[in-house]
Amino acid sequence: MTALPDLKTARPWYSGIDSTVLQQNVKRLDTAYKNFFEGRGFPRFKNRSNFTSFTFVMGIKVKGNKIYLPKLGWMRFYNSRSIPDGFTIKACAVRKRQNGWYVSLRIENKSVPYTIAKSLKDVVKVIGCDLGITKLVHLSDGCQIENPKFSTSKKAKRTLKIRQKRINRKIKGSKNRQKAAKKVGRLHQKIGERRHAYQWKVANKIVSRNVDAIAIENLNISGMKHRCQVKIDEKTGRFLKNGQSRKKGLNRSISDAGWGELILKIEYLAAKQGKVTIKVNPKHSSTECRNCGHIDKSNRDGEKFICVECGYYQHADIGAAKTIRDRALKMVRGDSAKPGIF
């Protein structure tokens, strides 16, 4: 970061970029390399064509439907949400989407009190959440929330397939191919915006319940989407079927459900309302009998749960949500390891 002045001398066109933007990009590069050395992926090279976001830290001004960005000047924008009185602008993130540029302002008011979450000793009521694909969320109180399947529905897959074919039929590097690619990008953007809006409604519906804590599955989502292990015939050396073609559809459904983003939204709203979020180990939650404790894969048949040991019958996913709730209560009472509080 201290070498940025020398960089501007060597390459004069860098002087046309605000210094805080360059500093923030250096910080992002540092974060990328830290993640790499900690085993979380290799830094991806970005040129000016795929560099789609940058951040200003100082010198931002807003007047009505105009915003001032350093080195860029005043420009018009759609002010979708006015800044409340008493708040100061701390940073401004500019991001390029398929249908234009978006501006996101970070504001601060030190007079706003921080919401303090309840301690584990004060937790009395807990609701359990079991995430799924047929239904997006099953709650321990018997409520089931639908999964709209924004990108894996029959209509969405057909539309995406048609538009992707149009890209492949165009000449590489042509403007018509770029136009077709933009249409596919706008479709993905529309699907993502619909998913985010629906997830906020679902998260608000869960957090607004009269409870002290929310128990959520501690899922390894990236591990669930790993490819199946390769199977090779020892005699012939040929590859055998390993179920990857069937698992590909499951991986797409998991990505479409957006469990990770939904969990983040639940944690955010819960912290905002002073509630505790408890992450629970979901192992055997849907195959464990709540009556006798017997664990067996054959206990579950789709959405039905019938214990092969005692004959106990219930809805499999709602029973799993109740099991998650009970495990969270045990963690609160100190019967096992302390939960993560967010």
Side-chain angles (χ1 to χ4, degrees):
M1 192 176 296
T2 56
L4 288 176
D6 299 333
L7 180 65
K8 291 181 180 181
T9 304
R11 297 177 173 87
W13 57 86
Y14 273 101
S15 300
I17 305 174
D18 183 60
S19 59
T20 60
V21 173
L22 297 175
Q23 292 169 7
Q24 293 301 314
N25 289 334
V26 172
K27 289 182 179 180
R28 287 164 61 175
L29 180 64
D30 182 57
T31 303
Y33 274 109
K34 283 182 179 179
N35 292 334
F36 166 68
F37 288 117
E38 293 176 4
R40 292 193 295 270
F42 192 82
R44 182 172 57 182
F45 174 76
K46 291 186 178 182
N47 55 21
R48 61 181 180 180
S49 61
N50 59 9
F51 202 92
T52 57
S53 64
F54 47 93
T55 305
F56 294 90
V57 179
M58 297 176 62
I60 307 107
K61 303 175 185 177
V62 176
K63 289 184 180 179
N65 62 344
K66 290 186 177 182
I67 184 170
Y68 177 82
L69 300 176
K71 298 287 185 175
L72 296 179
W74 288 97
M75 58 186 68
R76 290 182 297 174
F77 79 115
Y78 177 70
N79 193 355
S80 60
R81 188 175 179 183
S82 60
I83 301 175
D85 296 334
F87 283 80
T88 57
I89 300 174
K90 302 298 291 183
C92 171
V94 182
R95 183 184 180 191
K96 184 182 180 182
R97 303 290 298 275
Q98 292 296 331
N99 60 348
W101 292 87
Y102 286 75
V103 175
S104 176
L105 296 175
R106 186 167 73 240
I107 57 178
E108 180 188 26
N109 189 349
K110 295 183 179 180
S111 63
V112 177
Y114 287 97
T115 304
I116 302 175
K118 294 184 178 180
S119 63
L120 293 179
K121 297 180 181 179
D122 300 330
V123 172
V124 178
K125 296 181 180 180
V126 180
I127 188 170
C129 302
D130 178 74
L131 303 176
I133 294 175
T134 306
K135 295 285 192 302
L136 184 59
V137 184
H138 300 81
L139 301 178
S140 57
D141 59 1
C143 179
Q144 297 180 350
I145 300 175
E146 295 291 332
N147 183 12
K149 298 182 180 180
F150 294 106
S151 64
T152 55
S153 63
K154 188 175 181 180
K155 182 179 179 181
K157 288 193 292 186
R158 182 176 179 274
T159 305
L160 186 60
K161 183 178 180 180
I162 292 172
R163 295 192 181 182
Q164 286 175 336
K165 278 185 176 180
R166 289 175 183 172
I167 296 176
N168 295 330
R169 289 170 182 165
K170 302 292 187 298
I171 299 173
K172 289 186 177 180
S174 64
K175 291 186 178 180
N176 286 333
R177 188 181 178 93
Q178 294 177 1
K179 291 177 184 178
K182 283 184 179 180
K183 288 185 179 181
V184 175
R186 283 197 292 266
L187 177 61
H188 282 297
Q189 180 184 354
K190 184 178 179 181
I191 291 172
E193 289 174 350
R194 291 175 61 192
R195 184 186 294 114
H196 282 300
Y198 184 74
Q199 286 180 346
W200 280 116
K201 292 180 181 178
V202 172
N204 189 47
K205 185 176 182 180
I206 295 172
V207 176
S208 61
R209 277 170 158 69
N210 186 20
V211 294
D212 302 321
I214 301 162
I216 308 175
E217 296 175 284
N218 189 13
L219 298 173
N220 181 13
I221 300 173
S222 60
M224 295 171 67
K225 295 189 291 184
H226 277 177
R227 294 181 62 87
C228 299
Q229 291 184 355
V230 178
K231 294 184 179 180
I232 302 176
D233 191 348
E234 296 180 356
K235 296 182 179 179
T236 62
R238 294 185 175 181
F239 292 101
L240 302 176
K241 292 183 178 180
N242 60 351
Q244 179 58 35
S245 59
R246 288 181 297 173
K247 190 175 184 299
K248 182 169 64 175
L250 176 62
N251 292 347
R252 289 176 178 173
S253 299
I254 293 173
S255 300
D256 184 31
W259 293 338
E261 294 179 358
L262 178 60
I263 290 173
L264 290 175
K265 291 177 176 62
I266 292 174
E267 291 173 351
Y268 170 77
L269 292 178
K272 201 173 181 180
Q273 297 185 18
K275 297 181 180 180
V276 181
T277 305
I278 305 173
K279 287 192 174 182
V280 180
N281 184 8
K283 189 175 182 180
H284 303 309
S285 60
S286 60
T287 58
E288 180 183 356
C289 179
R290 293 182 51 78
N291 186 34
C292 64
H294 178 68
I295 299 174
D296 195 341
K297 289 183 178 180
S298 58
N299 288 344
R300 178 165 183 170
D301 182 16
E303 295 185 350
K304 298 179 182 178
F305 182 94
I306 304 175
C307 182
V308 297
E309 190 75 16
C310 65
Y312 177 74
Y313 174 81
Q314 66 174 353
H315 191 285
D317 294 311
I318 294 178
K322 292 180 179 179
T323 301
I324 291 169
R325 177 199 62 190
D326 295 343
R327 291 179 183 179
L329 286 172
K330 288 182 180 180
M331 295 169 76
V332 168
R333 294 166 184 165
D335 296 339
S336 60
K338 293 184 180 180
I341 304 174
F342 300 88

